[in-house]
Amino acid sequence: MSDTNITDYYPETPEPKSEVPEVPEVPVPETDDFSVDLPDIPLPDMEEDFDAAIKDAFTQDVGFNFCIVGVGQGGSRLAETFWNLGYRRVGVINTAIQDLTPIKLPDENKLLIGNSGAGKNTEVAEEVFKVKYEDILDFLKRIFGTKYERVLVCAGAGGGTGAGGIATVLEVCHDLNQSLGIEAKDTDAKVGGILALPTRGEGIRVQNNAKKTVSKLVGLSQAGVISPLIILDNEKIKQLYPKLSVNQFWGTANNSICSLFHLFNTICEKQSAYTTFDKADLETIFASGIITFGATPIKDTTATGISYAIRDNLRKNILAGVDVSTGNIAACVIIGDKESLDNIPQDNLEHGFEQLSRIMGKSSTVHRGIYSHKKPGLVAYTSIGGLTAPDNLFDYFFKVDRVYK
Ligand SMILES: Nc1nc2c(ncn2[C@@H]2O[C@H](COP(=O)(O)OP(=O)(O)OP(=O)(O)O)[C@@H](O)[C@H]2O)c(=O)[nH]1
Ligand SMILES: [Mg+2]
């Protein structure tokens, strides 16, 4: 058993407040330094040595060494959140310097291509990314180093740069993976994506961009070329956390998803005296296409209470409302204080795990994990994979009022 305390990396246990789940602490970006002199953004033709094995800055081991790329402003902020968690193979790409400047990453982790932004025009961005293919390849080669296992590309689906550029970046990542022997072919899919859907108020153009982008990436995921694909719904965040200020909003959105992702990536390296969730279990989730995450405190530890909490956690997550019953693989990790774990009958926990199997149907698999930590209380973390994007996905996102409460 590892002697590192689980509370060192485990997001704060949510306290029951109102109906909504608590979120990990939100870093509020400082905005007062945006107007200062622009930093030197490395130009694509700069030749620099790169460290063949770039080391992450975690205090905990992780299951998979990830590279993270942020495209456009939203994508870059997601990538920056991974950086803040300790990921170091992180690069951000944009077509506008004013969007790159506020991202708190070292200048050598930023790439500016083009110079005037894309103004929510995906075609403009698409063209720039295609023309700069080789520059992007050189940049990512330097940022990734040679020792990693998976890549995650993040973008806001409704923008110009992120939406227009993501497909080319995914292609570059496959190229790199294949040159390093990490993939033999694109369908080995060691490249995944996080896409953020716009809120309802962002207008038709943004919605249309998002529709096109999600459609393209869902297609790639169905073709087995990208995995995992995580679709985050900003509208859902707005509804679940209505009181957030503008500054807190993106922080909450990005932090919730990145810390859940990180939790699974770290927990799979931990031994448990109860039930261990391991790296091979996580691999099956990461390789399953569209995935979703949830987290919820368990207050009622009866069999029914645990089942309810697990169901509820899938409803109240911040990811797009795909139907979890279409999934075929799940991970459910319960973390609690030793006293609770020693007193809750195993059957009650089993009932919760079985609930997931029942939701997904006969041929599904549920990987389980039970871990103790020092903080009082019990929390269930869930990830469901192999999800099918419904045919009416876009009606659901954009035509029908998305009500999540
Ligand atoms: N989850 C999340 N979504 C974001 C964030 N920032 C922006 N978005 C979403 O991403 C979409 C695209 O916005 P940007 O990322 O600013 O656009 P861009 O890719 O830079 O494109 P252009 O500015 O048009 O070149 C928006 O519609 C927002 O909904 C963020 O920090 N987190
Ligand atoms: Mg932008």
Side-chain angles (χ1 to χ4, degrees), residues 71-75 77-78 94-95 99 117-121 156-163 196-199 202 206 232 234 250 253-254:
V71 192
Q73 189 168 32
R77 284 199 285 244
L78 279 158
N94 213 316
T95 52
D99 283 358
K120 304 287 174 253
N121 185 329
T161 303
L197 293 178
T199 59
E202 289 187 74
V206 166
L232 200 162
N234 289 330
W250 297 127
N254 302 341

Side-chain angles (χ1 to χ4, degrees), residues 6-38:
I6 202 156
T7 51
D8 291 343
Y9 66 90
Y10 159 67
E12 289 292 310
T13 306
E15 284 299 318
K17 232 194 211 164
S18 53
E19 276 287 80
V20 298
E22 272 284 8
V23 291
E25 243 187 298
V26 179
V28 179
E30 291 158 26
T31 49
D32 51 356
D33 54 355
F34 285 9
S35 56
V36 297
D37 289 345
L38 301 175

Side-chain angles (χ1 to χ4, degrees), residues 49-72:
D49 285 341
F50 63 89
D51 182 350
I54 293 157
K55 300 256 183 322
D56 288 317
F58 308 123
T59 49
Q60 311 278 323
D61 288 340
V62 290
F64 294 93
N65 293 309
F66 265 92
C67 300
I68 314 283
V69 192
V71 192

